[in-house]
Amino acid sequence: DVRVADQRPSVGQEEAFKYAWALLAELPDPHTWALFTGDYGRGKTHVLTGLVNGCRLAGTWALYTTTEAILSRLRRTYDSSASAESTENVRCRVEDVPVLVVDELDRVKWTDWAGEQLIAILNGRYLARRATWFASNLGPKALTAKVEPLAALVSRISSGYVVVLEGADLRPAFQPELPEGLPEYLHD
C-alpha cells in the first residue's frame, strides 16, 4: 500500500513529491492535469500509485491504468465474443472517473485509431475539468515528436504541472540478491 505521506523522496524526486502534495490538496474536487516525466526507474509509477492511494484515503475515486490497458479494453469491445462491455461503457468509465491516472503514455504503438480514441477520451476529460495525471519517459516536446496523434493534446497535458523526476535509477536498489550455493554457471 503505497502512500505519498509514508514515502521519503530520493534525490531527484523532491519536486515530484511537492507537486503530488499540491494535487492531493485539491481533493475532494481535483481538476489539475499533471505529467510526471523522466528516465526509466526514476519513480514515476511509484508517485502515481501514491497519488491513487491518497485519493482513495480521501474518499475520491481514482483509476490507475496504462495507455495500453485503455486501448486493449477498447479493442476488445469490437469482438463481441471477447467482451461483454460496449465501447461506450469503456469510454464512459475512463472519461467519468474523478481522477484518471495514466502510466506509460509513451509506451504503446500509436496508430491513427489509437490516437483518435485517446484524444476523444482525454478531450472529454479536459472539457469537463476532471483531473488527469500521466507518467511518461518523454517530456512534452519529445512526446509531440514521437507520438504524432498526441500532438494536439500535448498543450492540454502540459497545461497543468510538468514535473521531471531526476536522479539515479532506483530499481537497482530493489534487486534481490542471489541465494548462496548456486552453481557457477548461473552467475554472471
Side-chain angles (χ1 to χ4, degrees), residues 9 20 24 30-31 54 78 84 99 127 134 137:
L24 291 175
H31 58 274
Y78 292 101
V99 178
L127 294 174
F134 303 92
N137 295 314

Side-chain angles (χ1 to χ4, degrees), residues 14-24 34 36 51 161-163:
E14 298 88 356
E15 287 292 301
F17 276 64
K18 179 174 86 174
Y19 286 104
W21 278 110
L23 292 168
L24 291 175
F36 294 89
L51 284 166
Y161 302 134
V162 176
V163 185

Side-chain angles (χ1 to χ4, degrees), residues 64-84:
Y64 172 89
T65 189
T66 63
T67 307
E68 181 57 39
I70 293 170
L71 295 173
S72 290
R73 286 187 70 186
L74 287 168
R75 276 188 213 102
R76 280 195 305 271
T77 66
Y78 292 101
D79 179 1
S80 59
S81 65
S83 177

Side-chain angles (χ1 to χ4, degrees), residues 22-39:
L23 292 168
L24 291 175
E26 292 183 359
L27 298 175
D29 187 30
H31 58 274
T32 300
W33 281 34
L35 171 64
F36 294 89
T37 183
D39 287 336

